[in-house]
Amino acid sequence: MHLDHDPAAAAAETIGFDEFLKVDIRVGTILRAEPYPEARKPSLKLEIDFGPAIGRKKSSAQIAALYAPDSIVGRQVAAVVNFPPRQIGKFMSEVLTLGFADGEGRVVLFSPDAPVPNGSRLF
């Protein structure tokens, strides 16, 4: 799967609302973050709490260019929680933490602008 980070790229093909609902995007709070120097791109290993229904999940996120591990603990982020786990080097990433590329291609985390309960679903 290729994701286009070009802000000038054309919109993706039209999908139905039912297809959108298949992607389970939830908010969680980062409990732990540590460097992941073995990754090909500057990354952090995250442990995120998605509340009682989803639980704690691990994610490898390419966010080390903009975020220090200690600066994001306690921050809420959005992630896709229903993709199959993916092996990233020696680390098993269980969720896809979401972000947008800035003008230099660095990943900026996507998060709510006010606190919401962990596990809240995007709609």
Side-chain angles (χ1 to χ4, degrees):
M1 174 168 75
H2 172 71
L3 298 176
D4 196 331
H5 301 292
D6 180 0
E13 69 180 76
T14 300
I15 63 170
F17 189 68
D18 288 343
E19 291 173 283
F20 166 73
L21 290 177
K22 290 179 183 178
V23 181
D24 193 353
I25 301 172
R26 306 281 181 123
V27 70
T29 300
I30 298 174
L31 301 175
R32 195 174 70 199
E34 60 185 66
Y36 189 27
E38 299 87 6
R40 284 185 292 206
K41 294 186 178 181
S43 300
L44 298 178
K45 294 190 284 188
L46 308 176
E47 182 181 352
I48 306 168
D49 179 7
F50 291 98
I54 305 294
R56 295 178 175 193
K57 300 290 181 180
K58 296 177 183 175
S59 181
S60 173
Q62 296 176 356
I63 59 172
L66 291 178
Y67 302 97
D70 59 347
S71 72
I72 59 172
V73 172
R75 180 181 179 145
Q76 286 194 305
V77 293
V80 176
V81 299
N82 66 331
F83 285 154
R86 185 171 178 198
Q87 190 78 39
I88 310 292
K90 295 180 180 181
F91 184 76
M92 184 62 73
S93 189
E94 299 173 299
V95 299
L96 175 64
T97 304
L98 300 176
F100 295 95
D102 70 5
E104 297 177 32
R106 301 170 301 186
V107 177
V108 176
L109 288 168
F110 180 61
S111 58
D113 62 359
V116 297
N118 285 339
S120 294
R121 187 170 180 176
L122 180 74
F123 63 91

